[in-house]
Amino acid sequence: MMTVATHRNCQLGALMLLVAACSKPADPGTNGMSPTTVTVDTVPSLVLPSIGANDSVNFGSTKFVARLANGELAILDESSQTIRVFGADGKSLREIGRRGEGPGEFQFPMWLGECRPDTLFVIDPATARISLFDSQGQFVRQHPFKSRGSMMACDVTGQVLRLDIIGSTEMPSEQSPLYQGTVTLVGFDAPDRVLDTIPLYRNRPMGQQGWIASANGTVYVGRGDSGFVESWRPGDSARTRHPLGTAGRAPTAAQYQAEIERWLRMLSRPEDRVRPREILEKIPAPAAMPAFRALVADPTGAVWAVTSPTGDAVTVLEGIDSLGRPFQPLRLPGDLDVHAVGRNHIVAIAEDADGSQRILVFKLTRKN
């Protein structure tokens, strides 16, 4: 399973403009608690810092990490524009790709995932292609890829989803327009197919957001403003709507400021953040924050929403199983960016105020 999905690219584009300028309802019978109990160890089994012993560099900076079926971690290193692979013990194993335009090379890789068993997919919008690598990092083949740059999700069945924003986003504002989005099934041997069109995104801190996830060939689409997720399989007409998250919560001043800081961290140079900060801080907080800020599906068909706001001292995941029955919430220490939930692990990124990062792996236990 792999679902790594945010609106960072759209938000980053808006911030760069600032710099430049200055269904079917769920079956009531499934609404009881899931018979499967899921718990998580709050002490990570692996901590991989961006800076290692003796100031060695493990990776420069990243917003995308995948844990492969063999336990290895593949990290998209934004500074080198390569993929760095580490073992389950944190030992550096190999580097995949390099700068260039040839087969297996990247100009600006923006997403990666294990979308088939032992096969890593890497998307590079600058070269308009998806490159496939085997478990040893050897280039396998590539496919043309068109994207309007928003969000990706996939699972090991080979299903790859893309969430695109329709139209050009404007600079953040209190009255930012509501953009539409398309959920598209990416085809390798057939044309891409649009599965859904949804009201998606308001370009402002804590604005309306939409999310996608994929597991076992099932599509999940979440609307963070309303607190529900729809699920269906491509080709099916019936859809199931699951309540998930907590809608209608008023943000505190500290939570809203933390969200502004998260936006600003997308600009790597502190001097580029000064004017955007002034503009963003003039936008008042919304009356209600999104019901969740990330959506991740796992290989069992469960789907998890990160419901804690940015900046909170604990990261909370609320989940439902494949039948829509809720789990007890999971709580992880710290303000984390959750990237993947597997059968027996959670992968997240922690980022300090100085920009240094740590990849964290937590052990997950399931009992029936």
Side-chain angles (χ1 to χ4, degrees):
M1 184 285 308
M2 185 61 191
T3 297
V4 175
T6 68
H7 292 295
R8 286 191 180 94
N9 293 333
C10 300
Q11 293 169 348
L12 180 57
L15 289 174
M16 294 306 292
L17 282 173
L18 290 177
V19 174
C22 30
S23 99
K24 169 188 171 183
D27 182 351
T30 68
N31 285 341
M33 294 297 295
S34 174
T36 300
T37 301
V38 182
T39 58
V40 63
D41 290 356
T42 56
V43 177
S45 58
L46 175 66
V47 178
L48 181 64
S50 54
I51 304 300
N54 301 318
D55 293 330
S56 61
V57 177
N58 289 324
F59 56 92
S61 62
T62 186
K63 295 182 181 70
F64 297 94
V65 57
R67 187 179 187 271
L68 309 182
N70 59 12
E72 296 176 354
L73 290 173
I75 299 171
L76 196 162
D77 190 337
E78 296 175 328
S79 59
S80 65
Q81 302 294 304
T82 62
I83 311 301
R84 298 184 185 271
V85 181
F86 295 81
D89 58 358
K91 180 180 179 181
S92 178
L93 299 178
R94 68 185 74 90
E95 191 171 6
I96 299 175
R98 62 182 182 182
R99 294 181 187 269
E101 297 182 358
E105 297 177 338
F106 311 121
Q107 287 290 315
F108 188 71
M110 56 78 69
W111 181 87
L112 80 170
E114 188 180 38
C115 303
R116 288 176 183 160
D118 300 318
T119 306
L120 187 66
F121 287 44
V122 183
I123 292 177
D124 185 350
T127 58
R129 67 191 182 205
I130 299 179
S131 298
L132 279 63
F133 300 87
D134 67 17
S135 60
Q136 297 303 309
Q138 297 299 309
F139 173 73
V140 177
R141 55 188 169 126
Q142 64 191 30
H143 296 277
F145 177 79
K146 297 179 180 179
S147 174
R148 304 192 67 165
S150 180
M151 184 183 295
M152 301 294 304
C154 79
D155 62 51
V156 293
T157 68
Q159 175 169 278
V160 181
L161 305 175
R162 185 177 74 234
L163 184 59
D164 291 328
I165 292 178
I166 301 173
S168 299
T169 58
E170 301 174 357
M171 289 188 294
S173 69
E174 182 179 4
Q175 302 299 329
S176 62
L178 177 59
Y179 296 100
Q180 294 290 105
T182 58
V183 181
T184 300
L185 180 65
V186 178
F188 298 119
D189 302 316
D192 291 0
R193 179 156 56 102
V194 175
L195 303 178
D196 198 6
T197 301
I198 61 173
L200 174 65
Y201 177 68
R202 290 193 188 276
N203 191 30
R204 53 155 298 160
M206 288 189 176
Q208 179 170 325
Q209 302 175 51
W211 302 91
I212 56 174
S214 180
N216 302 330
T218 297
V219 176
Y220 298 90
V221 177
R223 295 165 173 81
D225 61 310
S226 58
F228 69 85
V229 173
E230 283 189 348
S231 66
W232 75 92
R233 298 182 72 84
D236 289 354
S237 58
R239 300 187 180 190
T240 303
R241 188 181 189 189
H242 312 280
L244 189 62
T246 306
R249 298 171 298 172
T252 66
Q255 289 168 340
Y256 187 60
Q257 187 62 42
E259 180 68 7
I260 290 175
E261 295 302 323
R262 184 184 71 84
W263 276 52
L264 293 170
R265 285 199 299 270
M266 298 176 221
L267 299 171
S268 57
R269 298 191 309 170
E271 59 268 28
D272 288 340
R273 302 175 183 176
V274 177
R275 181 57 179 154
R277 184 190 303 278
E278 294 175 356
I279 295 175
L280 292 177
E281 289 182 344
K282 290 180 181 179
I283 302 173
M289 70 178 77
F292 45 83
R293 61 182 172 103
L295 193 68
V296 184
D298 74 32
T300 71
V303 62
W304 301 86
V306 178
T307 58
S308 50
T310 300
D312 277 16
V314 175
T315 297
V316 179
L317 289 88
E318 297 180 23
I320 54 175
D321 66 16
S322 60
L323 296 179
R325 298 170 297 194
F327 298 109
Q328 290 291 342
L330 303 178
R331 292 176 168 82
L332 297 170
D335 179 20
L336 306 179
D337 185 4
V338 176
H339 275 236
V341 179
R343 293 183 184 277
N344 59 6
H345 68 272
I346 294 176
V347 179
I349 298 177
E351 184 168 327
D352 297 328
D354 63 1
S356 60
Q357 295 177 310
R358 287 161 284 129
I359 308 296
L360 307 175
V361 180
F362 297 90
K363 181 182 177 182
L364 203 66
T365 302
R366 301 173 191 263
K367 294 181 180 179
N368 294 321

